[in-house]
Every structure is written in C-alpha cells, then in structure tokens.
Amino acid sequence: MSEQQTKIDPEKFAYHFMDTMKQPDFSTKETEVAAKESLAAYLTAYYLVQRFNKLENNFFTEDNHHKVSTYQKILSELNQY
C-alpha cells in the first residue's frame, strides 16, 4: 500500500507556488514589502507540504481498519490552515 503514498517535495512545491503568484508592480510597491509577501507565500507552502507529508506518512503506517478515519483526520487538519 505504501506505493500509493503521495510524497511532495516541499522545496519544489513552495518554489512553484511562489512562481504562480501575481508578481508585484515595483513601481507601486516597495521592494521590501514585495519580498516579505513572497517569503510568506514560500514558507506557507513549504510548511503546508511538510505537514501533508507527515500526515500522509502516518496514514500509511497505521492499521488498515483505521485508514478511513485517519484520512478524514488528515483532511480536517489540512483544512484548519
């Protein structure tokens, strides 16, 4: 069953997520503000994926009869953020 496990590279995901964000117009925004927004987006995506990977790993290490409730717990925990 572990071959079905999803593993996401947090660094790659965060970089790609940050790339999809609308780039600021530097003529109207200060560079520091734009950098802070980009950093916040990167870190948010990075830590979200780390939490996902941890929860996904727990899902595949628990007994089969607990898998459905564990998966529901994973979704519930991810939706809290």
Side-chain angles (χ1 to χ4, degrees), residues 4-63:
Q4 296 175 355
Q5 184 175 358
T6 301
K7 185 74 172 176
I8 302 171
D9 182 313
E11 186 175 348
K12 286 181 183 179
F13 180 85
Y15 275 122
H16 288 293
F17 177 76
M18 201 170 60
D19 285 342
T20 65
M21 292 182 55
K22 181 181 173 192
Q23 297 298 317
D25 180 2
F26 286 104
S27 64
T28 60
K29 275 193 163 185
E30 293 182 25
T31 303
E32 185 176 342
V33 173
K36 286 178 182 178
E37 289 177 359
S38 294
L39 180 59
Y42 176 87
L43 292 174
T44 300
Y46 185 90
Y47 289 114
L48 175 68
V49 170
Q50 282 193 326
R51 284 194 306 270
F52 170 83
N53 285 338
K54 180 181 175 185
L55 293 169
E56 180 80 352
N57 188 50
N58 290 342
F59 174 77
F60 282 95
T61 58
E62 292 188 6
D63 294 334

Side-chain angles (χ1 to χ4, degrees), residues 63-79:
D63 294 334
N64 286 334
H65 65 281
H66 292 11
K67 291 210 185 282
V68 172
S69 64
T70 302
Y71 190 67
Q72 290 170 341
K73 180 182 173 194
I74 289 170
L75 293 176
S76 174
E77 287 184 21
L78 287 175
N79 283 330

